[in-house]
Amino acid sequence: MKHPFTLCAMVLATVVATQAQAVEIQVGYAYSATFDPTFERMMQGFSKAHPDIQVTFRATYENYEDATNTVLREAVANTLPDVSFQALNRQALLVERGIAKPLDPYIAREADFETDGYHKAMLDLSTFDGAIYGLPFSVSTPISFYNMDILRAAGVETLPSTWDEVIAACNRIKVNTDKEPLYWEWNISGNWLLQAAMWSQGVPMIKDGKLNMDNPEGLKALETAKAIFQDCGMKNVVGGDAAKSLAAGDLAMFFSSTAYVGFVDRSKIGDWEFVTAPYPGINGAPQALPAGGNSSMLTSGSDDPEVLEAAWQFIKFATSGEGAAAVALTTGYVPPNKVANALLMEDFYTKNANKLTAVNQLPLLSEWFAYPGDNGLAVTQVIEDHLESIFVGDAHNMEELRDDLVEEVNALLPR
């Protein structure tokens, strides 16, 4: 279900609209529960800096797949938003379709704009044929969330560093407490955590344009998923509901995006100890992890130079300096550039240690793969369907499932 933007930001937009000769731009983004507080905070500064620009936020996209599908439909209907926040692994499709506009002409006109200030791994993912089509807005890695009170009650003294240790902790929690042991957000956007299972073994999920799981690492990734689902008795809920269970003190371990840190901090019930830690690996610490998050893209269908310039001013503000600092202050994401980090208090991460986990994992950032060709979104769903068959108990032989998955996916990819 989509939600309109919050009242606070709507009021801000109305105030801006009263300014004489205001230029209106429309902006779309996903994940209302995560990013509404971010844009509320950001708009306070943007409205003061740009009283001549009226920002209207469209109904939020439900998730990143919805964001891309919606923009593809809007391109056909000629109703595109001027700015759209899109997942890093979905940018290529919008570039290929001619929907996203290159930002280089705008960057070139900025006397003091430093692209070097952005995390290189993120900026590289927005660069196509040498042109920049998106500026990174939020940087994420998968991390571990723990309720230390439940772990101690279960007799778990050391935080798990591998999935075998996670599953052993699950068994202790099931025996010694009445709490939910674990939630692993397997169906998060873009098969992100399955890609994490591959990258953690040092193996890319896509190689030479094909699904690269026809190997021992692919089998191990699926066997690990099966163990998580079946040995831990994981509930069949969505990630947002699992985060609520964690915040309520009912869930012991939660594995997903660092984006949830801000939500848990705001929603935490009781005085139990909340701790984040590095993401578990397979047979040791992860060798790499997929870069998560989204970028701000110029998707306007307008030919009006004033509208395009206003959209650029919003993109620039949102991804650098004060706007980007709001990302760290309201979520668990890492700011996309060094200027934003400089604007944060020097002791920010000392006071917010749970947000430091993702920062420490930045050296592991690797590509969050988009599946090439027109069937990229369909491939995402095919992989999710196969994972769901493990979750619900319909699939038992992981080698057979892997082989079927590889064959089905590669049939959808360009030859």
Side-chain angles (χ1 to χ4, degrees):
M1 178 179 180
K2 298 183 180 180
H3 305 280
F5 193 59
T6 57
L7 178 61
C8 175
M10 290 174 67
V11 171
L12 284 169
T14 302
V15 171
V16 176
T18 64
Q19 304 295 323
Q21 299 179 338
V23 177
E24 179 186 0
I25 61 170
Q26 299 203 355
V27 177
Y29 66 93
Y31 296 115
S32 175
T34 298
F35 287 113
D36 279 2
T38 305
F39 284 105
E40 286 179 22
R41 186 183 187 101
M42 184 185 303
M43 284 304 300
Q44 296 174 28
F46 184 81
S47 297
K48 292 177 182 178
H50 298 280
D52 56 336
I53 299 175
Q54 174 190 345
V55 179
T56 300
F57 291 94
R58 293 190 174 183
T60 50
Y61 311 125
E62 183 177 355
N63 53 40
Y64 288 140
E65 278 72 40
D66 181 39
T68 304
N69 275 319
T70 300
V71 167
L72 290 173
R73 291 194 299 269
E74 289 168 338
V76 175
N78 197 26
T79 57
L80 284 164
D82 299 295
V83 177
S84 181
F85 290 82
Q86 293 284 329
L88 296 175
N89 69 327
R90 299 301 179 195
Q91 297 173 101
L93 181 58
L94 300 188
V95 173
E96 291 167 1
R97 297 290 180 89
I99 296 171
K101 292 179 167 61
L103 300 177
D104 303 81
Y106 301 94
I107 294 172
R109 293 203 299 265
E110 299 285 340
D112 57 353
F113 192 86
E114 293 287 344
T115 55
D116 289 345
Y118 291 87
H119 293 298
K120 186 178 185 302
M122 306 296 290
L123 196 60
D124 286 349
L125 291 176
S126 298
T127 302
F128 302 89
D129 294 328
I132 298 172
Y133 283 86
L135 291 181
F137 176 64
S138 57
V139 183
S140 67
T141 62
I143 64 170
S144 308
F145 299 69
Y146 296 108
N147 181 320
M148 296 304 297
D149 291 30
I150 298 177
L151 293 183
R152 292 190 191 102
V156 178
E157 302 296 336
T158 303
L159 291 180
S161 61
T162 67
W163 285 107
D164 286 344
E165 292 173 1
V166 168
I167 293 162
C170 275
N171 292 327
R172 284 181 172 270
I173 293 163
K174 287 192 294 185
V175 170
N176 297 311
T177 78
D178 60 353
K179 301 295 186 179
E180 301 172 42
L182 167 150
Y183 185 82
W184 177 61
E185 196 171 2
W186 61 276
N187 56 356
I188 196 171
S189 181
N191 312 133
W192 193 49
L193 291 189
L194 184 61
Q195 294 200 25
M198 294 297 293
W199 266 131
S200 69
Q201 301 175 83
V203 176
M205 192 156 166
I206 294 292
K207 185 176 181 180
D208 298 328
K210 298 298 181 182
L211 185 64
N212 185 39
M213 293 187 69
D214 190 15
N215 46 49
E217 292 83 5
L219 179 59
K220 184 63 177 178
L222 295 173
E223 288 175 339
T224 300
K226 181 181 179 183
I228 294 169
F229 294 150
Q230 298 184 8
D231 294 351
C232 287
M234 196 176 93
K235 286 189 175 181
N236 189 7
V237 298
V238 297
D241 288 342
K244 291 176 184 176
S245 294
L246 177 69
D250 296 326
L251 179 64
M253 301 183 290
F254 179 55
F255 302 94
S256 189
S257 169
T258 186
Y260 285 108
V261 174
F263 172 80
V264 176
D265 280 338
R266 290 190 300 271
S267 308
K268 186 169 171 283
I269 299 172
D271 59 358
W272 56 273
E273 185 181 0
F274 168 40
V275 169
T276 68
Y279 196 68
I282 296 175
N283 299 325
Q287 298 180 45
L289 289 171
N294 62 65
S295 69
S296 185
M297 307 187 81
L298 180 60
T299 53
S300 180
S302 176
D303 294 324
D304 187 337
E306 290 189 357
V307 171
L308 295 174
E309 178 62 24
W312 163 246
Q313 292 300 326
F314 182 83
I315 290 172
K316 182 176 68 171
F317 189 92
T319 62
S320 60
E322 182 181 351
V327 173
L329 293 168
T330 58
T331 72
Y333 284 107
V334 180
N337 60 57
K338 299 170 186 176
V339 176
N341 282 309
L343 284 176
L344 295 172
M345 295 179 295
E346 291 183 2
D347 60 351
F348 175 76
Y349 287 113
T350 300
K351 294 181 177 179
N352 297 272
N354 283 332
K355 295 184 178 182
L356 183 60
T357 300
V359 176
N360 290 336
Q361 290 188 154
L362 287 178
L364 298 176
L365 283 186
S366 299
E367 186 173 355
W368 181 13
F369 290 101
Y371 306 112
D374 292 338
N375 295 321
L377 289 168
V379 168
T380 299
Q381 188 60 53
V382 167
I383 295 173
E384 183 173 318
D385 290 345
H386 279 75
L387 284 173
E388 186 174 25
S389 73
I390 305 172
F391 189 22
V392 300
D394 289 342
H396 303 283
N397 186 311
M398 293 301 98
E399 188 169 3
E400 289 181 1
L401 182 137
R402 180 201 61 183
D403 294 345
D404 289 345
L405 176 61
V406 169
E407 181 179 0
E408 188 170 347
V409 167
N410 285 338
L412 292 171
L413 296 177
R415 297 185 180 276

